[in-house]
Amino acid sequence: MQSEKGRYSQPRWGVTRWLADAGPGVPDDIRAALIGDLYGSLPVFAAGAVNTVAVAAVIAIREPTAPFITWVVLELVICLSRLTVLVVAHRAAREQRPTPTDLHLVLAVAWSASVGFGILISLASGDWVVALLASLSAAAMVGGICFRNFSAPRLAGTMILLSLGPIVPGAALAGEPLLVIVVMQVPLYLTAMTVAAFRLNKMLIATMRAERENGHLAHHDTLTGLRNRAGFVAALNAKLAATRGNGGPFALLFFDLDNFKPVNDTYGHAAGDQVLMLAAERLRRALPETAVIARLGGDEFVVLANGVTAEQALAVGHRIIQAVTMPYRLADGIFAKVGVSVGVAVSPEHGTEAEELLAVADAALYEAKSEGKAQCRMASVATNVAALRRLTKKDPTPALDRGAASGERQRRPAIGKRRQCLVSSLRSSALIGAHST
């Protein structure tokens, strides 16, 4: 859960860690998103800063005494410092560098203390116009403090206490008996706003957890736990973008299970599902953690292997065959056996665009299946030419080789349809990305 503006650093100091703590059991990605929320935007910060500086300046003009001049100076120094930290932090987050989160939190607390100091000296001055202006300004700020900082409710509660809390001793110093009601009401108001911040924080974290789970479900296959088509498209798009920035070579390996339908027909769909789950687990164990493994649907899979040469990609393909073709022990002591055929395309040798690579890997898979079961076939020059010709003609289903078996003739359109679905998904994601920029 990374902010679109970048990732902001977690606080490191003891007091700032306490202030920003989101509570036990919160995942790290949600904690990072909560810290990002604390920074907010420059226009929102500017509105609050202009308000407090303007109020302090107007009051200092009316009461040009040392305490009020000190307040104006404090407001200017703190607000300018906060502005500088915000600008530096936003830039650092975009550039993936550490952000000054500790300083940001300390300055936020200091600003609240400055607002509270202004209330205290305004009430003690005996000038009710000044006292009213300072108090109204601080009360207005409390709502903003709560709703801008409930990502860290301890920070929000501390800022609320420091900014409006001094009304209580200020009212006592004013010597006005009627202000005793303020002494009674303000603590209740501060408590209510702080409780609201904690409740809003719980709601926010619950929403983030739900979004996190929904995001996982949207990109992963519920049966096997592998990535689904959408998850694979996202990973491929990210890899292609990284490759354009010298992200290194990679390979696409298309494969499906041979003789999987007889398992379903003989033992039932529950047995077929068990074979798919066991095959997925074997793939996880056989392939490196950097590999992206996806189930496209049915018995069809694809692997994105990072940082591999053509020879290494073939080795990955043979490792897949070795792992998947071992017999499967199912319920009631039943053993099932399936084969697997693999087609391999390597970037940049076989293409640098998604459609090219998908077409070439698809054609290589077809050639592997036409040579028999349990075959791994690297895309060749002929494969490239045939695949690119089909792309040019906008025909997702290539012509069959003369030596292809009749069963493979029926199988081939499904293979081409799978690639066409992937290409459509890639184009859709590209359009969404273009509209969001």
Side-chain angles (χ1 to χ4, degrees):
M1 287 186 132
Q2 183 169 323
S3 169
E4 292 181 358
K5 296 181 179 178
R7 190 180 184 90
Y8 296 85
S9 305
Q10 292 290 320
R12 295 175 297 174
W13 304 345
V15 64
T16 51
R17 284 204 307 269
W18 181 85
L19 286 171
D21 185 55
V26 179
D28 290 341
D29 57 337
I30 293 181
R31 290 182 184 274
L34 293 174
I35 291 297
D37 287 344
L38 292 177
Y39 278 91
S41 63
L42 290 176
V44 173
F45 163 76
V50 168
N51 174 70
T52 55
V53 171
V55 168
V58 168
I59 292 176
I61 292 173
R62 180 181 175 91
E63 295 283 347
T65 59
F68 289 108
I69 293 174
T70 301
W71 182 28
V72 174
V73 172
L74 278 175
E75 283 292 325
L76 285 171
V77 170
I78 293 173
C79 287
L80 288 175
S81 299
R82 292 186 72 195
L83 176 62
T84 302
V85 169
L86 277 175
V87 172
V88 170
H90 286 322
R91 183 177 302 165
R94 287 193 300 269
E95 298 173 356
Q96 302 297 314
R97 293 186 288 107
T99 58
T101 300
D102 295 285
L103 188 56
H104 173 69
L105 297 179
V106 168
L107 286 173
V109 172
W111 172 78
S112 302
S114 175
V115 172
F117 172 71
I119 289 179
L120 184 63
I121 61 176
S122 296
L123 285 169
S125 70
D127 187 329
W128 295 113
V129 174
V130 167
L132 178 64
L133 184 59
S135 298
L136 285 177
S137 175
M141 289 294 102
V142 166
I145 290 172
C146 176
F147 292 110
R148 281 189 60 214
N149 298 284
F150 66 82
S151 296
R154 290 176 180 174
L155 173 67
T158 301
M159 293 177 69
I160 290 170
L161 177 63
L162 290 175
S163 60
L164 201 58
I167 284 183
V168 175
L173 290 174
E176 175 57 53
L178 287 177
L179 290 181
V180 68
I181 192 171
V182 174
V183 176
M184 297 170 58
Q185 287 180 330
V186 168
L188 295 176
Y189 178 61
L190 296 179
T191 301
M193 294 302 292
T194 302
V195 170
F198 275 90
R199 288 182 176 176
L200 287 170
N201 176 261
K202 288 184 178 180
M203 293 172 59
L204 177 61
I205 291 176
T207 301
M208 286 181 164
R209 286 184 184 274
E211 290 177 350
R212 185 172 181 256
E213 292 172 2
N214 290 338
H216 180 83
L217 291 175
H219 287 83
H220 289 78
D221 175 48
T222 54
L223 177 65
T224 63
L226 301 176
R227 292 196 183 222
N228 57 17
R229 178 179 283 107
F232 172 74
V233 166
L236 180 56
N237 279 331
K239 185 59 184 177
L240 288 169
T243 302
R244 294 186 186 99
N246 298 323
F250 67 94
L252 289 186
L253 297 94
F254 267 164
F255 57 98
D256 55 17
L257 305 183
D258 300 322
N259 299 322
F260 178 73
K261 188 175 183 299
V263 174
N264 267 334
D265 294 342
T266 304
Y267 305 113
H269 289 287
D273 289 346
Q274 190 174 2
V275 169
L276 291 173
M277 289 187 289
L278 292 172
E281 184 58 35
R282 291 181 183 182
L283 290 170
R284 290 192 190 94
R285 292 198 301 263
L287 300 177
E289 293 184 0
T290 56
V292 178
I293 313 170
R295 178 187 174 218
L296 302 181
D299 63 340
E300 299 166 348
F301 298 83
V302 62
V303 169
L304 192 161
N306 291 298
V308 294
T309 62
E311 293 77 12
Q312 292 169 333
L314 277 176
V316 172
H318 289 297
R319 199 181 311 154
I320 290 172
I321 293 174
Q322 183 179 9
V324 174
T325 55
M326 294 175 62
Y328 294 86
R329 182 183 178 88
L330 307 180
D332 300 326
I334 297 172
F335 284 88
K337 185 174 177 61
V338 296
V340 62
S341 301
V342 184
V344 185
V346 179
S347 178
E349 287 89 339
H350 300 131
T352 57
E353 298 296 331
E355 292 188 45
E356 294 175 343
L357 291 168
L358 292 170
V360 171
D362 183 35
L365 172 57
Y366 169 59
E367 292 185 1
K369 296 182 77 66
S370 67
E371 293 176 0
K373 306 298 184 182
Q375 297 293 320
C376 178
R377 180 65 182 265
M378 173 66 68
S380 62
V381 174
T383 308
N384 276 25
V385 171
L388 293 176
R389 185 181 297 121
R390 292 195 302 274
L391 280 177
T392 303
K393 294 180 179 180
K394 305 298 182 182
D395 180 9
T397 306
L400 299 178
D401 288 346
R402 294 181 179 178
S406 60
E408 293 304 321
R409 288 178 181 271
Q410 297 175 357
R411 181 71 173 172
R412 183 60 219 167
I415 298 174
K417 184 177 180 180
R418 174 191 55 232
R419 177 182 62 79
Q420 190 179 34
C421 290
L422 281 171
V423 170
S424 298
S425 300
L426 284 162
R427 287 174 175 171
S428 299
S429 64
L431 286 174
I432 293 172
H435 285 300
S436 64
T437 56

